[in-house]
Amino acid sequence: SPKLVEVYGQRITVDAVVGRQFSEAIDVVRRFRAENRLGEVVLIHLGDNGPFSDSAFDTLMTELADRQVIFVNVKVPRRWEGEVNDALIRNILRYPGTQLLDWKATIEGSPAELRDGMHVDSYGAEWYAYMVSTLLPVAL
C-alpha cells in the first residue's frame, strides 16, 4: 500500500489487513459507503487467504453495482490459488464492465521476487503499483 499511495497520493484509500477473507470485503464496502469514502473505482485483491463462494461475489457486486470494479487475481503457493483465480474469471464474466488485473502473470514475468512465494519485497511493490497504474492512470 505505501507504493500505491506514493503513486496516487490523496486520490487513493487503501484498506489492507493481514489475513482478510473475501467475505469480509462486503462489510468494508458497506462501511466505506456509509462514511462516504467509497471511490468511483474499487480495486479488490482478495483470495490469498482462501477461496470464496459465488454468493459472496454476488453480494459484493450488489454493493458495488454503481462503481467500476477491478479484481486482482492471486499468486500464492497454496492449494486454492487455481480455485480462486478460476472463480474470479468465472464471476467477472457474469458482470459486464468488471475487470481483472493479472497479478499472477505480472509477477511471474517480472524480475521482482515474492519473498515467501506470496508477499512482495520493495521491488515487487513497485511492480504492483506499476501494474495498477497501467489500468488506472495516475491522472485519475
Side-chain angles (χ1 to χ4, degrees):
S1 54
K3 286 293 179 186
L4 288 171
V5 171
E6 187 178 303
V7 169
Y8 290 98
Q10 297 298 317
R11 294 173 306 232
I12 190 169
T13 300
V14 178
D15 187 282
V17 176
V18 173
R20 180 174 278 157
Q21 295 293 316
F22 190 95
S23 60
E24 295 174 65
I26 298 162
D27 287 336
V28 173
V29 166
R30 288 175 178 157
R31 178 172 45 89
F32 270 55
R33 186 180 295 281
E35 296 170 355
N36 200 29
R37 296 182 358 175
L38 189 60
E40 293 300 315
V41 178
V42 179
L43 179 75
I44 298 172
H45 187 166
L46 289 167
D48 287 347
N49 297 304
F52 57 91
S53 67
D54 290 349
S55 64
F57 192 96
D58 290 339
T59 301
L60 182 60
M61 289 305 295
T62 297
E63 294 293 329
L64 294 170
D66 61 340
R67 308 298 165 151
Q68 178 185 352
V69 184
I70 303 163
F71 287 92
V72 181
N73 68 3
V74 301
K75 170 67 175 137
V76 56
R78 300 288 188 262
R79 61 177 168 70
W80 55 79
E81 177 189 88
E83 180 182 350
V84 166
N85 289 339
D86 290 347
L88 284 171
I89 292 168
R90 179 180 67 248
N91 284 291
I92 286 169
L93 289 172
R94 296 186 304 115
Y95 289 90
T98 303
Q99 296 174 280
L100 177 72
L101 276 176
D102 194 349
W103 172 239
K104 184 176 186 309
T106 299
I107 196 64
E108 286 177 345
S110 82
E113 299 272 333
L114 296 174
R115 6 179 251 270
D116 55 2
M118 72 178 125
H119 295 100
V120 296
D121 59 11
S122 61
Y123 193 57
E126 289 180 29
W127 270 91
Y128 190 90
Y130 172 76
M131 177 193 68
V132 171
S133 71
T134 62
L135 186 60
L136 298 172
V138 177
L140 280 180

